[in-house]
Amino acid sequence: MIPISALLPDELAGTLQVVPAYRGKQIFSWIHDRLVFDFTVMGNLPATLRRDLAGRALPIGLREEARLEDADGTVKFRFRLLDGETIESVILRDRRGRGTACLSTQVGCAMGCLFCRTGSLGFSRDLDAHEIVDQFLLLRSCGPPDLSSVVFMGMGEPLANLDNLQRTVDVLSYSGFSPRRVTVSTCGLVEGIRSLGERKLAVRLAISLISADSEVRTKLMPITRSNPLPRLRQALLDYQKGLGKRITLEIVLMAGINDRSEDVEALVGFVQGRGGKQPLKVLVNLIPWNPLPEFPYKRPEAKRIEWFEQRIRQAGIPVTTRISRGSAVCGACGQLG
Ligand code: SAH
Ligand code: SF4
């Protein structure tokens, strides 16, 4: 069976060898506009073609295995992949009722960040583009609210799976979902950021900075060793020069670990640039650490978080604190897996 959710109309026609070519457009529209994943009800296709396609093409390859709903409106899905692996995706709802889809790009993650549940699972494999698109389609098809944005903040490191990420963004874009509504979050892979810039995907970029103190960051995020902060900063500057957009810096706050005075100072220095360096255009997003059993961290007290936020604001840097949603179903950041 051929998975087809990540194919564009002309590719559908070509891969499935259906004529005339406009059949590709019709199939694409059934799947992506009407969210119909069953060939037998695709009414404008000839009955013989419907039967034929049902036997050899797969509009959706993921199977929903579990759905957990939090009282705050967050819904976490567990999906089974064709090879038996599982991944998770989440719908988050803001106060105005708008929905955000949080999608995974890998089974597990190879980056091993110490504070992250997915990181503790290790890496199994990259997701194929159709497995990423499938998550989006299944989340959309589970009903209102309409999804107003997509964030790649589920399992895995999106920039370590850039070809499949790009293909997903292209398919979403073709179906009318603008890349400007897509945020790609990365642990800070310098080559990946450069490559993302070269590809000129119009997505938003978020960096899990966690700390701008090199020693603290290296301890918490081992990839800092091969992607040191000065190189990361330069890659962000270059990216911004090319695309001009504000970058989000995500700081997962852990008590006594990265909520110290030194961490604020380092962060302000990283953003403003010292010694004549160019400043970065950013929004700092503070995320109080979401508790995970058997992890040695604690979320800072509310007062400490306010203090941290205030210090950043005083330096003239825009900052917000993300209210955790979905923690009751382990659907919050870093709790997937
Ligand atoms: N690999 C990418 C995207 C997935 S992680 C990245 O690292 O950016 C998604 C977000 O969850 C990141 O900002 C990460 O820093 C955050 N996160 C990980 N563990 C967390 C935890 N226990 N509590 C709160 N946020 C966490
Ligand atoms: Fe991977 Fe991101 Fe978790 Fe780090 S924070 S282990 S990069 S998913």
Side-chain angles (χ1 to χ4, degrees), residues 304-334:
R304 187 71 184 175
I305 298 170
E306 270 168 44
W307 171 85
F308 200 93
E309 183 173 340
Q310 203 51 36
R311 292 278 295 263
I312 298 167
R313 190 165 292 123
Q314 273 162 7
I317 300 168
V319 54
T320 59
T321 297
R322 187 191 293 172
I323 311 150
S324 166
R325 307 187 80 82
S327 50
V329 292
C330 277
C333 300

Side-chain angles (χ1 to χ4, degrees), residues 109 111-113 115-116 118-119 154 156-157 187:
C109 182
M111 304 299 152
C113 305
F115 50 86
C116 171
T118 310
E157 168 50 47
C187 60

Side-chain angles (χ1 to χ4, degrees), residues 34 260 314:
R34 305 212 218 172
R260 307 157 312 149
Q314 273 162 7

Side-chain angles (χ1 to χ4, degrees), residues 233-271:
R233 187 175 193 282
Q234 191 56 50
L236 295 180
L237 273 177
D238 294 344
Y239 180 86
Q240 213 148 48
K241 225 178 278 162
L243 291 150
K245 284 195 287 189
R246 185 162 85 163
I247 294 166
T248 301
L249 300 181
E250 300 166 286
I251 311 279
V252 177
L253 279 175
M254 291 162 273
I257 306 280
N258 65 344
D259 65 347
R260 307 157 312 149
S261 207
E262 295 92 313
D263 295 295
V264 186
E265 296 318 316
L267 175 60
V268 171
F270 185 84
V271 174

Side-chain angles (χ1 to χ4, degrees), residues 115-116 152-154 156-158 185-187 208 210 250 252 287-290 292 333-334:
F115 50 86
C116 171
F152 285 99
M153 295 186 188
E157 168 50 47
S185 178
T186 172
C187 60
S208 295
I210 314 302
E250 300 166 286
V252 177
I287 311 166
W289 187 70
N290 286 317
L292 298 164
C333 300

Side-chain angles (χ1 to χ4, degrees), residues 59-94:
I60 289 281
L62 264 51
R63 212 178 59 235
E64 181 179 326
E65 205 167 71
R67 189 187 290 204
L68 291 167
E69 299 192 28
D70 195 335
D72 68 11
T74 306
V75 190
K76 179 171 86 165
F77 298 79
R78 185 176 318 117
F79 295 119
R80 174 86 48 190
L81 310 177
L82 288 172
D83 66 356
E85 297 275 15
T86 57
I87 51 164
E88 294 184 337
S89 325
V90 181
I91 295 181
L92 302 146
R93 224 156 277 189
D94 70 11

